Amino acid sequence: MGTVSLESFRVDVERLRAEAVAVLGAAADDAGLEQARIEFAGAKSGRLKGIQKLLGGLDGADRPEAGRLFNEAKGAITAALDAAQVRLAGAAAEAAAIDVTLPGLPFRLGHVHPITQTIRRVQEIMARLGFESVDGPEVEDQWHNFEALAIGAEHPARDPLDNFYLAVAQGADPLLLRSQTSTVQIRVMEQRKPPLRIVSLGRVYRPDTADATHYPMFHQVEGLLVEPGATMADLKGVLRFLASSFLGGDVHVRFRPSFFPFTEPSVEFDMEWGGRWVEMGGAGMVDPAVLAAVGYDPAEVSGFAFGLGVERIAARRYGVADIRDFYRNDVRFLQQF
Amino acid sequence: MIISTTWLAEYVRWDAPVEELVRRLLMSGLNHEATWPVGADTAVDIEVTSNRPDCLGHVGVAREVAVLFDRPLHIPAPQPVESAEPAAEAIAVEISDLDVCPHYTARVIRGVRVGPSPAWLAERLRTIGIEPVNNVVDVTNYVMMECGQPLHAFDLAKIRGGRIVVRRARDGETFRAINHKDFSLSSGMAVIADAEGPVALAGVMGGAESEIAADTVDVLLESAQFAPLVVRAAARGLVLMSASSYRFERGPDPAAVEWASRRAAALIQELAGGEVLAGAVEAGALAGGRATIDLRAARVEEVLGVPVAAGRQAEILTGLGFVKEAACSERCRWQAPSWRRDVTREIDLVEEIARIEGYDNVPEDRPIHAKPVEQSARERTIRVAGEVLVAAGLCEAMTRSVVSEAFESTASPWTALPPRRVAPALVRGADRLRRSLLPSLLEASGHNRAVGAPHGDLFEVARAYLDRSWNAAGATPLEEPLLVSLVVGGAYAKAKGLAEGVIGRLGGVVEFRRGAFDLFTPGRAAEIVLERAGTEPVRVGVVGEVSDGVLSRFGLEGPVSAAELRLDLLEISGSQPRKLVPPSEFPAVQRDLNLVVDQELAWAEVERAIREAPGADKMLESLSLEQVWEDAERLGAGKKSLVVGLRFRSQTGTISSDESKRLVDGIVAACGQSCGAMLRG
C-alpha cells in the first residue's frame, strides 16, 4: 500500500497546475517571470519537481494514471511559461517600435521629357504595324524641303519670311532649317524601293512668334506607307489604330478635305477625344508627282502619309496650357512626367 | 473669307439651317472659323485653302453649296447698256511686261453721280466687314467679293495723258496709296502708270491722287490679271496686304476678268447712273487653255478604297463646272473650268469626287497586316543613354537648336569652323546654329537655380550643326552629330562617372586624356577618346568641371561638372543582344594593396598595369581605387599612396592562398615595372 493516494495526488497536481498557469500568466516583467519559473519549473527545487517526487509514494497500480496527470500538468505549465515569454518579448519590442509613417529614405528619380515620351508612344504604336522610325538632317536643301514635295518655286511656303534660311555664299544653293519632317521621307524613298513603312520624327522650324500655342521650333511625327494598292481606307484604318492605341478605347477618326502640295487627296484628320472632335494633323495619299520625284512609278505603287504636331497632342495629353513650358526646362515641370 | 448668308442665297437656296450649311462646307473642304449675326444677316467665316481661290467669292462658295445640297445655281448675266462712243477713244492701254500682267481691261463710265450706296449693298458689305465708301467704290468691292476678281476704279479726270501703262516699278520710284501713305517701290513690283507716273500699285492698292471722290464724274474701271509673285513681292515688301493682293497671290479665275468688268459697269450704271462707253479697252489676252483630264471610273475606288458609281462621279464633276468632252463609260475626258486651275490630273478629279461624296464613306475598319520591324541602332543608342541618365536622377531637357552669339562665342569641341547663321532669328537674338549643347544646358540649369527648383541636373539628346570645309556628293548639307550632354552639381568625378556609365552601357572602350575646353576649369577637363581595332583613335566626348567665370555667367554655384558625348560615334553596333557570362559559383578573394607611386603618375597607368598583369584577365573580378593620400613625412616628397582593392574569382574553382599570392605578386611586380610602384607595409 502506498503512502500517497491517487486522489490526493490528483488534487495536488491540479492545484499546482492552476496556480502555475495563473502566476505565469500574470508575470509583468522578465524578473517576475524568472522568479515564477524557478518556483514552479526550477530544475532542482521547483514545485513541479516536488510533485514528481510524490510519484514514488503511489501504489504501483495507480502510477500510470498519476504519471499521465503529471505529464499533462507539466505540459500545461511549460506552455504557459512559453506563452509568458512570448508575451513579454512582444511588449519589449513594442516599447522600441518606430513611427512607421516617418518618410522613407529619399532617392532621386530622373525623368524623360514629356515630348520624348509622347514621340516614343507614337513610335511604339506605329512599330506594331511595321513602321520603322527613321531620322534625317535638320538643315536641308530646297530639293528635299520643297521641290521633291511638289512645292514649286512660286509657292508662298518658300518665302524667306516663312522659313529659316541659312546665310550662304553668293551663288551657293540655299539651305534652310527643315519646315517639316517629310524631308526625311524623301531621303528614305530616294534610297530604298517600296514596299516601305516609315515614321520620320524630329525637330522642325517655322518662324512663328512664340505664344501659348506656337513656338518657332517644334516636333513632328510623320508616317509614310508606300505599297501596291494602298488606299485612303488603309490610311483611315491605320489612323484609327493609332488613335485607339494612343487614347485608349475605340476611337473614331474623321477626315476633312484639306490641301497640302505633297498629298492628293489631302485631308485633315480629327479624333474623338473627350466627347468631341479634336484636330490631330494632316494626311493624304502621296501625290503621284512626289512618287515620281523619288523614282517610283505611280502606276505601280501608291502610298499615304500623315503628320502630327507632337507639342499639340502632348499639351492636350498632359494638360499643359502653354507649350513654351516644354522648353523652359524647369525641373518642377519635368519631374511631373 | 467671310460669307453673308443673305448674299449667298441670291445664287443658291439650300433649305437648311446655317449650322447644317456650315457642317457640309466643313466636311467638303471649307473649314469653319466662326458664325455671328449682323442685323438680319448672318456672317460665316470660312477658311479657304490656298489652292481654292475660286472660293474667295460668294459665287464660288455658292457653287459648292449647290453641289452639296443638289440645288440649282443662279449666276447673273450682266449686260450694261453701252453708248455708241467706244471706250477706246477715251483711254489707251498698254502692257510693257506681260510677265507681270498677262491681261488688262478698262471700261469707261461717264457722268456718274457719286453718292452713298443703297442699303442692301451697304449692309452686305458691312456683314463681311467692309465699310461702305461710295456707290462706285462699293461696287468694285462688291463684285470682288462676289466672284473673287479684284477691281479698281480710277477718276478718269486724274489719269494724265489719256493712257494707262502697266509696267514694272522703277527702283526708288515713290507712290502715295489710297491710305495716304507714301511708299518707295522696287523693280520686283508692278505699277499702273499714266503718262506721268504710277497711279496704282498693281494688284495691291490704288493711288490717292486718282481715287474716286465726291466730285468724280468719269470713271475708269480696271479689271486685270497680275502675276502672283509680283503682287506678293509688293504686298510683302511694303507690308501692304489687301483683299486684292490676297486674291491675286492665289490666282483668281482668268475668265472672271471680263465678267467682273461687265458686272461692275452694269451695277455702277444702275446705282450711280452714267453712260457706259462701248466695249472694253484690252491689252494682253485671257491666259491659258483649260486642262483636259482623263478619268478612269475604277481609279476612284483604287484611291479611296470604296467605290463611287460612275454616274455619281459625273454628276459631281458636272456640278462643279467640269465639262465632259464626249459620251463615255469607263474612261472619260473632262475639261476643267477656268476657275479650277488647281485641277490638272486624274488624281485631282478623284479628290473632287471624294470630298463632295464625303470621306465618312471611307471605311475605318479595313484590316492592315502587321510587318516585322527592327529598332535602329541609333534609336537603341538614344534610349540606352537616356535610361542611364534618368536612372542617375537627371531630368531630360529640350533647348533651342538656334542660340545667341554669346552662347556660340565659346569654342566647340567638335569643329574649328564658326557657327552657321540663320535669318530670321529663331527668337530675339538667336540666329546661330549651335555647335554644342552645353551652353544651353548650363543656362537651363542656372534657370532652375534661380527659381529654386529642387535641382538643376539635366541632360539633353540633340544635334549640333557643324559646317563642312568641303562637301561630298550625297552628303547631308551640314554635319549633324547626335550629342548627349549633361550638367550636374558636383566635381569632375560626378560628370565623369555619368559619362563612363553611358559609354559603358553602349559598349564603348575609351580613354580619358587631359584636355582644355573653354567652359571648363584648366586642369580639370578631359577629352574622351574612343579606340576601336583598325581605326584611328577618335574624340567622342569632353568632360570637365565648369569654370568659375562660366558659373557666374549662368548664375550657377560650383562645383558643377558637365560632359558632352558623340552618340553618333558611340552607336551600339550590331543587333546581337549581350551574351551572358554566368556568375561564378566559387567564392571570391579580396586583397587590398597599398602602392606608393610618383605623385604625377596618372591612375590610368596603374590601372593598365594591374589589368595587364599575368592572370588578371581571367581572375580579376573587380578593381577599385579605395583611397589616395599624400604625406611627405611618411611617404617621401613627391609620392602618393594608392589603396587599391582587388577582388579575385575563378570560373573553375576556389582560388587557393598560393594562387591568390601568385596573382598579387604578379600585379605588384607589374606595377613596379611599368609604374615604379612600391608596395607599402
Side-chain angles (χ1 to χ4, degrees):
Chain A
M1 182 96 186
T3 54
V4 181
S5 77
L6 179 61
E7 203 45 45
S8 72
F9 183 81
R10 185 195 308 273
V11 169
D12 287 352
V13 164
E14 285 304 317
R15 188 183 298 135
L16 177 64
R17 168 184 167 152
E19 195 184 338
V21 167
V23 171
L24 288 167
D29 53 30
D30 285 350
L33 181 63
E34 181 59 10
Q35 200 183 348
R37 187 191 66 80
I38 292 166
E39 180 186 347
F40 295 105
K44 284 186 177 146
S45 52
R47 286 167 62 187
L48 201 56
K49 202 77 187 173
I51 290 273
Q52 192 179 10
K53 286 176 184 159
L54 293 181
L55 281 171
L58 280 157
D59 245 9
D62 290 337
R63 275 184 200 162
E65 172 62 5
R68 193 188 61 77
L69 289 170
F70 174 79
N71 283 335
E72 217 174 79
K74 187 180 176 186
I77 290 166
T78 308
L81 182 62
D82 288 350
Q85 273 165 349
V86 168
R87 177 170 54 80
L88 289 178
E94 194 71 30
I98 56 160
D99 176 358
V100 296
T101 68
L102 284 174
L105 206 57
F107 69 100
R108 170 101 75 69
L109 194 59
H111 297 265
V112 175
H113 197 286
I115 294 292
T116 306
Q117 292 189 34
T118 306
I119 290 174
R120 288 188 181 165
R121 182 97 184 90
V122 175
Q123 275 183 297
E124 282 157 11
I125 294 166
M126 295 311 296
R128 285 188 235 152
L129 295 177
F131 284 77
E132 175 196 349
S133 295
V134 293
D135 198 9
E138 291 176 23
V139 175
E140 268 296 3
D141 51 36
Q142 307 241 83
W143 168 256
H144 291 95
N145 201 72
F146 297 127
E147 280 147 36
L149 290 163
I151 303 172
E154 296 204 356
H155 199 280
R158 292 175 73 153
D159 197 284
L161 294 173
D162 289 332
N163 295 282
F164 293 109
Y165 279 98
L166 271 67
V168 292
Q170 198 80 38
D173 290 336
L175 296 175
L176 73 163
L177 284 169
R178 67 182 178 197
S179 54
Q180 67 245 329
T181 54
S182 316
T183 53
V184 183
Q185 304 184 340
I186 297 296
R187 284 183 179 272
V188 172
M189 286 193 283
E190 283 172 339
Q191 283 158 18
R192 299 196 211 164
K193 291 286 153 216
L196 201 64
R197 293 184 189 184
I198 55 172
V199 183
S200 56
L201 43 100
R203 297 180 179 208
V204 298
Y205 305 86
R206 291 179 198 170
D208 269 323
T209 305
D211 61 25
T213 55
H214 295 88
Y215 204 72
M217 174 182 94
F218 59 100
H219 292 77
Q220 262 191 345
V221 176
E222 290 193 305
L224 170 74
L225 176 148
V226 182
E227 281 169 17
T231 69
M232 287 201 88
D234 298 325
L235 168 62
K236 214 175 193 182
V238 165
L239 289 173
R240 184 172 175 223
F241 181 86
L242 172 61
S244 300
S245 307
F246 187 82
L247 302 174
D250 187 10
V251 178
H252 294 281
V253 167
R254 180 174 86 168
F255 283 171
R256 283 178 291 111
S258 190
F259 171 67
F260 307 108
F262 35 88
T263 49
E264 188 84 6
S266 301
V267 294
E268 303 266 356
F269 64 97
D270 304 336
M271 295 177 182
E272 238 181 339
W273 196 344
R276 50 191 207 97
W277 290 108
V278 177
E279 199 178 314
M280 298 297 289
M285 302 304 291
V286 180
D287 196 293
V290 174
L291 295 175
V294 296
Y296 291 2
D297 182 356
E300 293 287 315
V301 290
S302 54
F304 61 72
F306 63 89
L308 293 165
V310 177
E311 276 74 1
R312 187 155 42 146
I313 55 174
R316 203 176 156 84
R317 187 174 196 215
Y318 298 115
V320 175
D322 188 333
I323 67 164
R324 287 171 292 191
D325 287 345
F326 287 124
Y327 299 106
R328 290 201 172 100
N329 299 306
D330 190 319
V331 164
R332 295 168 300 168
F333 173 89
L334 296 172
Q335 69 185 5
Q336 293 186 44
F337 303 101
Chain B
M1 169 76 192
I2 301 171
I3 296 292
S4 147
T5 54
T6 308
W7 187 350
L8 190 67
E10 186 164 307
Y11 315 111
V12 63
R13 299 269 170 195
W14 57 88
D15 302 327
V18 171
E19 295 71 38
E20 179 61 7
L21 172 74
V22 158
R23 194 191 67 80
R24 298 287 286 274
L25 289 173
L26 165 82
M27 294 306 288
S28 63
L30 293 171
N31 236 333
H32 179 232
E33 301 278 3
T35 300
W36 65 94
V38 183
D41 200 356
T42 303
V44 179
D45 190 2
I46 53 171
E47 184 194 333
V48 179
T49 50
S50 63
N51 60 325
R52 293 298 305 276
D54 61 304
C55 285
L56 294 174
H58 281 69
V59 167
V61 177
R63 186 177 294 109
E64 298 281 308
V65 174
V67 175
L68 290 171
F69 289 85
D70 192 22
R71 307 288 299 180
L73 176 69
H74 304 285
I75 300 175
Q79 197 50 64
V81 181
E82 295 183 348
S83 68
E85 183 191 347
E89 284 181 11
I91 192 76
V93 175
E94 179 193 321
I95 299 171
S96 77
D97 189 344
L98 284 168
D99 288 341
V100 303
C101 174
H103 191 203
Y104 192 99
T105 71
R107 278 180 185 272
V108 175
I109 305 121
R110 287 199 190 280
V112 298
R113 287 178 307 280
V114 175
S117 290
W120 68 265
L121 174 53
E123 279 164 13
R124 285 182 184 183
L125 290 178
R126 282 206 183 93
T127 296
I128 65 169
I130 296 176
E131 203 46 44
V133 181
N134 59 50
N135 46 12
V136 174
V137 171
D138 292 349
V139 164
T140 59
N141 284 330
Y142 184 81
V143 175
M144 171 171 68
M145 290 304 179
E146 182 174 44
C147 68
Q149 168 65 40
L151 300 170
H152 186 66
F154 298 93
D155 184 338
L156 183 60
K158 306 282 171 58
I159 302 298
R160 298 154 295 190
R163 68 190 187 103
I164 288 289
V165 180
V166 187
R167 60 164 168 83
R168 283 187 182 275
R170 300 186 180 107
D171 285 318
E173 195 167 25
T174 57
F175 168 70
R176 174 166 293 183
I178 279 180
N179 63 9
H180 292 265
K181 284 185 179 151
D182 291 319
F183 295 94
S184 175
L185 310 181
S186 65
S187 60
M189 312 165 183
V191 295
I192 315 302
D194 62 9
E196 292 179 28
V199 292
L201 189 55
V204 179
M205 199 170 277
E209 298 297 322
S210 58
E211 70 179 319
I212 302 294
D215 59 356
T216 298
V217 179
D218 298 337
V219 173
L220 173 67
L221 180 67
E222 165 196 295
S223 181
Q225 210 192 353
F226 299 109
L229 279 179
V230 173
V231 174
R232 193 195 309 160
R236 288 256 181 169
L238 304 176
V239 196
L240 192 63
M241 282 52 156
S242 65
S244 167
S245 67
Y246 187 80
R247 282 162 179 76
F248 279 122
E249 283 183 45
R250 283 155 183 79
D253 176 7
V257 167
E258 195 275 331
W259 185 90
S261 175
R262 257 191 299 130
R263 172 72 164 155
L267 275 174
I268 290 169
Q269 192 171 44
E270 181 187 326
L271 303 181
E275 177 192 359
V276 178
L277 301 196
V281 185
E282 276 189 74
L286 173 60
R290 299 176 183 189
T292 53
I293 312 155
D294 287 343
L295 174 66
R296 295 162 287 167
R299 185 65 189 151
V300 176
E301 183 174 3
E302 284 172 22
V303 174
L304 300 184
V306 65
V308 178
R312 177 65 182 146
Q313 296 182 15
E315 190 178 288
I316 291 170
L317 292 177
T318 305
L320 291 171
F322 292 83
V323 179
K324 206 195 285 190
E325 286 206 336
C328 55
S329 57
E330 282 313 296
R331 190 189 190 100
C332 292
R333 178 157 292 189
W334 291 88
Q335 188 181 57
S338 60
W339 58 85
R340 291 303 305 273
R341 282 181 301 163
D342 59 312
V343 180
T344 58
R345 305 165 302 167
E346 183 181 45
I347 192 72
D348 303 328
L349 291 180
V350 173
E351 177 169 47
E352 290 306 299
I353 292 162
R355 69 179 185 87
I356 298 295
E357 190 66 359
Y359 288 107
D360 285 351
N361 294 327
V362 174
E364 60 172 12
D365 51 4
R366 198 64 61 80
I368 175 145
H369 61 99
K371 230 180 97 175
V373 64
E374 205 174 285
Q375 198 174 40
S376 70
R378 167 166 274 214
E379 190 56 33
R380 279 185 292 137
T381 303
I382 292 171
R383 292 210 185 200
V384 166
E387 278 163 13
V388 170
L389 297 173
V390 165
L394 277 68
C395 282
E396 187 189 8
M398 279 196 184
T399 59
R400 289 190 295 268
S401 319
V402 190
V403 299
S404 66
E405 182 182 9
F407 278 24
E408 274 300 323
S409 61
T410 49
S412 162
W414 313 115
T415 181
L417 296 170
R420 296 292 294 258
R421 298 176 69 164
V422 295
L426 191 80
V427 297
R428 190 195 299 268
D431 67 348
R432 280 160 171 82
L433 293 178
R434 63 179 170 182
R435 299 167 302 161
S436 165
L437 318 184
L438 286 171
S440 311
L441 275 188
L442 287 164
E443 183 193 44
S445 193
H447 167 77
N448 277 289
R449 183 163 182 272
V451 299
H455 67 87
D457 295 354
L458 302 170
F459 76 97
E460 179 171 17
V461 177
R463 293 146 187 266
Y465 311 89
L466 313 181
D467 207 352
R468 295 181 200 273
S469 46
W470 53 275
N471 232 326
T476 56
L478 263 58
E479 193 190 342
E480 297 183 20
L482 185 69
L483 306 176
V484 59
S485 294
L486 59 96
V487 170
V488 284
Y492 172 82
K494 188 78 187 278
K496 180 176 188 259
L498 293 169
E500 286 171 329
V502 170
I503 295 167
R505 243 351 241 170
L506 294 175
V509 178
V510 295
E511 262 185 33
F512 288 74
R513 297 180 187 163
R514 177 154 294 196
F517 302 99
D518 280 7
L519 297 168
F520 299 142
T521 306
R524 290 174 176 260
E527 65 170 334
I528 307 171
V529 178
L530 180 71
E531 311 220 28
R532 263 195 197 130
T535 59
E536 286 287 297
V538 55
R539 180 190 290 173
V540 293
V542 294
V543 57
E545 218 166 286
V546 179
S547 73
D548 289 346
V550 172
L551 289 176
S552 70
R553 194 176 131 203
F554 291 110
L556 288 163
E557 196 167 286
V560 170
S561 54
E564 184 158 273
L565 306 176
R566 289 277 299 258
L567 284 181
D568 55 326
L569 299 177
L570 289 163
E571 206 165 83
I572 300 171
S573 55
S575 57
Q576 292 303 312
R578 289 160 180 262
K579 285 279 179 257
L580 174 72
V581 178
S584 169
E585 294 167 14
F586 302 99
V589 175
Q590 179 77 39
R591 290 283 182 275
D592 286 353
L593 292 184
N594 191 340
L595 298 171
V596 177
V597 297
D598 283 349
Q599 215 167 24
E600 296 306 313
L601 188 76
W603 161 249
E605 302 291 326
V606 180
E607 183 179 357
R608 183 180 302 123
I610 293 172
R611 292 199 185 278
E612 288 174 359
D617 58 334
K618 283 207 173 61
M619 299 296 188
L620 184 62
E621 183 178 72
S622 70
L623 161 64
S624 57
L625 178 60
E626 304 290 338
Q627 207 188 350
V628 182
W629 55 280
E630 290 165 23
D631 185 329
E633 273 183 28
R634 289 160 69 192
L635 301 173
K639 294 284 180 187
K640 65 183 172 187
S641 158
L642 306 175
V643 180
V644 177
L646 303 169
R647 194 175 170 83
F648 300 107
R649 202 198 290 262
S650 163
Q651 283 284 348
T652 54
T654 302
I655 295 175
S656 68
S657 56
D658 280 357
E659 210 170 343
S660 65
K661 186 173 184 307
R662 258 201 313 281
L663 286 164
V664 171
D665 288 350
I667 284 169
V668 171
C671 290
Q673 201 163 38
S674 56
C675 304
M678 304 286 289
L679 189 61
R680 185 167 183 275

